[in-house]
Amino acid sequence: MTSAQARHWRSASDALALLRREPDVTRTRLGKHLGLASGPTSDLVKRLARARLVAQRRAPSGGPGRPTTTVRAHPAGPVALVVDLRHGDWRIGVCDLTGVVEVVAGGGHDGADPEALLTGLRARIADLAAPLGDRVVGIGVAVPGPVADDRLRMTALGRRDVPVDRIAPPGLPAVVGNDATAAAVAEARLHTPRPRTLLHVVVEVGIGGALLVDGVPAPSARGLHGEFGHLPFGDPDVECPCGARGCWSAGFEAGAVARRADRTVTGDPRAWLRDFHADRGSASRARADLAADLGRGIAGLVNALDPDLVTLGGLAASVRDASAESFERAVRAGLMAVHRESPPVVVAARSDEDAPLIGIGLSVFDRVLDADLLARWSTGVTDGA
Ligand SMILES: [Zn+2]
């Protein structure tokens, strides 16, 4: 590769990285980010379009002046097949290199037979991948539990060690990630100005989340970061399914919430929790306690991690809003004085239930696109304009 080609390739790689971190990137924004004038930016976008990586779309600017040109994924460009495996159900989507996801399949499961579930999903993925041919660059799977070395490491699917990466067809790389971490990756794209450090805390069946730096999860040795729910902010006498005692998560599980509120869990625990937290008409004492427990933990995380912004995903905003006063009081009491002077903003997450699909799709492109781009699309990208 000549030095000019190497420069073209580096610009292309940087451009695609920006398209993963920001939605609706305009050509002007891209040029500014890369430090390129309008002519070279236009040439670069043309090369990326010729390589079937991006397409341009002219859109009204929404104000006075010329229409803007946004840079999008090419309709025949690379995609990741992405799976969101949840308690009780699963969904499969097709994710382009800018994080636009189309959900194409879904179904339920009872978690009793992970082998059968994975075998079934593997067949569905193979069927969905076949017509897409070599456009599929990888498989992303978001799972509801701790992930180490691309394996799900907890009891969420009835076993302690589930090789989820096996659902990828032969020859395609699989990226397995925790669902809350994946959701955080999608969430980080939705805030302006973009937070340098984002703490995303998700309450679902337990608590998870991630610390993101410049839009990507902070690195960790095996991928086990973000297991905030297993910090010992809970009752030290209670053993958590993870094997530790005193986990913060334990108090937010359906059974524990039901005991606090003097209720009984009926049906799917995730659906039951969703209904419980949406209804604010009763059990006000239990709701105030949960909001305070959430606030206390978030204060601890802020003390430890010092984020620019805190976002509440899943049911976390409902838990806070059920007793905002208890939440605020607990946050304030738990913050170090230095944080109390100017606490980080805590807001409800803006991403929706597609966030784990988007985030795991972007993680697939983070892992494979550069190498793939070089190997498969480099001719069009690195040729002269
Ligand atoms: Zn635990």
Side-chain angles (χ1 to χ4, degrees), residues 266-289:
T266 48
D268 170 41
R270 185 166 160 272
W272 184 87
L273 279 168
R274 198 161 282 277
D275 290 345
F276 175 83
H277 289 303
D279 163 32
R280 306 220 184 110
S282 60
S284 56
R285 179 62 196 270
R287 292 176 204 282
D289 287 351

Side-chain angles (χ1 to χ4, degrees), residues 213-240:
V213 182
D214 292 329
V216 293
S220 72
R222 301 170 66 195
L224 279 165
H225 50 77
E227 292 300 333
F228 302 141
H230 305 283
L231 284 163
F233 296 160
D235 181 346
D237 290 335
V238 174
E239 187 174 344
C240 173

Side-chain angles (χ1 to χ4, degrees), residues 12 40 44 86 134 159 174 214 219 224 230 236 255 281 292 298 304 311 361 367:
L44 169 66
R86 306 191 289 198
D134 63 3
R159 266 178 41 185
D214 292 329
L224 279 165
H230 305 283
I298 285 175
T311 48
R367 196 181 290 186

Side-chain angles (χ1 to χ4, degrees), residues 69-385:
T69 301
T70 56
V71 182
R72 319 218 153 196
H74 194 286
V79 293
L81 281 174
V82 286
V83 185
D84 186 13
L85 194 48
R86 306 191 289 198
H87 291 270
D89 64 10
W90 55 269
R91 300 190 309 151
I92 300 177
V94 178
C95 181
D96 71 28
L97 58 85
T98 66
V100 173
V101 166
E102 185 194 352
V103 176
V104 292
H109 71 87
D110 61 8
D113 188 348
E115 287 298 338
L117 174 63
L118 294 181
T119 303
L121 285 174
R122 186 186 161 99
R124 288 301 288 268
I125 286 168
D127 286 348
L128 291 164
L132 293 165
D134 63 3
R135 290 181 61 202
V136 182
V137 298
I139 309 297
V141 192
V143 295
V147 172
D149 312 321
D150 287 331
R151 285 175 171 232
L152 175 60
R153 288 303 176 101
M154 231 175 73
T155 50
L157 290 176
R159 266 178 41 185
R160 267 195 191 271
D161 191 0
V162 183
V164 179
D165 58 334
R166 266 194 223 151
I167 68 176
L172 280 175
V175 175
V176 182
N178 171 265
D179 54 1
T181 305
V185 171
E187 181 67 25
R189 294 160 29 110
L190 303 178
H191 297 268
T192 316
R194 222 151 297 287
R196 168 125 169 77
T197 51
L198 170 74
L199 170 63
H200 187 56
V201 177
V202 179
V203 175
E204 282 284 350
V205 184
I207 300 177
L211 177 73
L212 274 82
V213 182
D214 292 329
V216 293
S220 72
R222 301 170 66 195
L224 279 165
H225 50 77
E227 292 300 333
F228 302 141
H230 305 283
L231 284 163
F233 296 160
D235 181 346
D237 290 335
V238 174
E239 187 174 344
C240 173
C242 80
R245 282 183 177 274
C247 289
W248 189 25
S249 266
F252 290 81
E253 280 166 9
V257 170
R259 275 192 300 280
R260 283 182 183 211
D262 207 14
R263 303 278 175 89
T264 309
V265 180
T266 48
D268 170 41
R270 185 166 160 272
W272 184 87
L273 279 168
R274 198 161 282 277
D275 290 345
F276 175 83
H277 289 303
D279 163 32
R280 306 220 184 110
S282 60
S284 56
R285 179 62 196 270
R287 292 176 204 282
D289 287 351
L290 283 164
D293 283 356
L294 181 65
R296 195 162 42 246
I298 285 175
L301 288 168
V302 168
N303 291 342
L305 301 171
D306 187 23
D308 291 299
L309 178 69
V310 180
T311 48
L312 302 178
L315 304 171
S318 297
V319 172
R320 174 192 65 174
D321 296 344
S323 185
E325 199 185 318
S326 304
F327 176 85
E328 293 298 341
R329 199 164 43 232
V331 170
R332 211 178 148 64
L335 284 178
M336 295 160 69
V338 66
H339 286 298
R340 223 178 273 166
E341 288 161 11
S342 58
V345 176
V346 180
V347 295
R350 293 176 183 172
S351 52
D352 59 18
E353 77 161 346
D354 288 348
L357 290 169
I358 295 168
I360 201 70
L362 292 168
S363 298
V364 171
F365 285 112
D366 281 343
R367 196 181 290 186
V368 306
L369 191 57
D370 275 4
D372 216 58
L373 172 69
L374 190 61
R376 288 165 58 185
W377 277 277
S378 63
T379 311
V381 172
T382 57
D383 283 352

